[in-house]
Amino acid sequence: MPMSRVPRSRRFLVCEPRHFAVQYAINPWMHEDTQVDVDLARGQWADMVRAYRAHGHTVDSVEPVAGLPDMVFAANSALVVAGRVFGSLFHAPQRRPESTAYETWFKNAGFDVYRPEAVCEGEGDLVFAGRYLLAGTGFRTERAAHHEVQEFFGVPTVSLTLVDPRFYHLDTALFVLDDGPEANIAYYPEAFSAGSREVLRLLFPDAVIATHEDAMAFGLNSVSDGRHIFIAPRAEALAGELARHGYVPVPVDLSEFQKAGGGIKCCTQEIRS
């Protein structure tokens, strides 16, 4: 019998996709001629928010800014641990104004915000996993930012190199399943360099391994509260494997956002108190 998992209430920050569009191409999922169904996107996003609240989580929202179509991807704005905010500096110039918009929200909410000197895209490439901070590089966040974030939080930071441009952020190839010093993960090994795969194998010997199909369905761009896992419905094999490990998959369809290379986690910033 799988072990009983215990959820923990979370506080999430999101941004309504009022201005969501594909106006430029900065990853392989994006094509400038793609038409976005904004009504569908807003409906899917609202379903995600309802799912979070139905499972006992707090959801705050930042006001979207016209001309920033990717601002809906709140995870890229920062990493928040113990109430401290490590902000963002985006790789693409089109997204750099998002940092200021999110910084304003955090400051108005009473947080101090550290601005990184190196390119860093928040929880897109920084994943807090128990005693470690997993840090992605290869396409967006620079390795120098890994040193900055380690100095800021004082948490051992493990650099991981992404090698497949379809998985351009760490949160498209890996997510954390639970809290605590023995936190476990799910990931897609082929998204990583050989050395990084070995590091993950050593650190997380009991990790849940995703298939190529699950990864392409954005199944790893999921959010877990320690029991419930908010996951793309097309990642069926991964959902089944997670259920066998005692987790409860909660399907949330954000397929319209995949046109911009985004999913559930991309749209969700966790504020850890």
Side-chain angles (χ1 to χ4, degrees):
M1 293 289 291
M3 66 186 298
S4 177
R5 306 288 179 178
V6 179
R8 178 177 66 82
S9 295
R10 314 281 171 141
R11 182 184 180 189
F12 297 133
L13 179 63
V14 299
C15 181
E16 180 192 353
R18 191 182 309 160
H19 308 296
F20 176 56
V22 179
Q23 297 178 348
Y24 43 78
I26 58 174
N27 67 58
W29 303 91
M30 301 177 83
H31 304 280
E32 291 184 35
D33 58 349
T34 298
Q35 296 298 310
V36 168
D37 185 332
V38 177
D39 289 337
L40 176 58
R42 293 178 76 171
Q44 291 181 339
W45 179 87
D47 287 342
M48 178 191 73
V49 172
R50 280 192 289 269
Y52 286 152
R53 288 177 171 153
H55 287 83
H57 305 302
T58 300
V59 181
D60 295 318
S61 186
V62 61
E63 184 70 12
V65 176
L68 299 180
D70 283 342
M71 193 173 164
V72 65
F73 300 129
N76 305 153
S77 67
L79 176 69
V80 186
V81 179
R84 304 182 70 204
V85 181
F86 188 92
S88 59
L89 174 60
F90 285 90
H91 180 269
Q94 297 95 327
R95 297 197 65 185
R96 290 197 169 182
E98 295 177 37
S99 297
T100 300
Y102 277 100
E103 181 176 325
T104 298
W105 186 92
F106 280 114
K107 287 182 175 179
N108 288 340
F111 295 92
D112 290 327
V113 181
Y114 173 85
R115 285 191 174 191
E117 296 179 6
V119 169
C120 184
E121 300 202 350
E123 285 189 328
D125 277 320
L126 302 174
V127 177
F128 196 71
R131 59 170 63 93
Y132 303 109
L133 181 61
L134 305 180
T137 191
F139 299 103
R140 298 293 184 83
T141 297
E142 295 174 348
R143 192 173 294 270
H146 299 180
H147 175 72
E148 279 190 79
V149 76
Q150 178 170 273
E151 290 300 307
F152 183 75
F153 288 118
V155 175
T157 300
V158 179
S159 294
L160 301 169
T161 301
L162 297 160
V163 295
D164 186 330
R166 294 171 297 182
F167 308 108
Y168 57 93
H169 271 156
L170 186 60
D171 72 359
T172 65
L174 177 154
F175 75 99
V176 176
L177 297 172
D178 36 40
D179 293 319
E182 303 304 322
N184 200 11
I185 65 169
Y187 71 105
Y188 175 54
E190 283 72 22
F192 297 91
S193 67
S196 295
R197 290 197 299 270
E198 184 64 14
V199 168
L200 290 170
R201 187 187 68 81
L202 291 171
L203 292 180
F204 304 100
D206 299 319
V208 174
I209 304 301
T211 66
H212 176 75
E213 290 74 20
D214 289 328
M216 292 296 288
F218 272 54
L220 292 162
N221 197 242
S222 295
V223 171
S224 174
D225 65 12
R227 173 173 169 80
H228 308 100
I229 295 181
F230 304 89
I231 188 170
R234 290 194 298 117
E236 296 178 358
L238 180 57
E241 187 64 21
L242 292 167
R244 283 189 287 276
H245 282 74
Y247 299 97
V248 180
V250 179
V252 176
D253 184 6
L254 289 193
S255 54
E256 196 64 13
F257 295 91
Q258 196 166 341
K259 294 177 178 178
I264 299 166
K265 177 54 193 171
C266 290
C267 292
T268 309
Q269 163 72 231
E270 182 175 354
I271 300 176
R272 297 171 181 82
S273 58

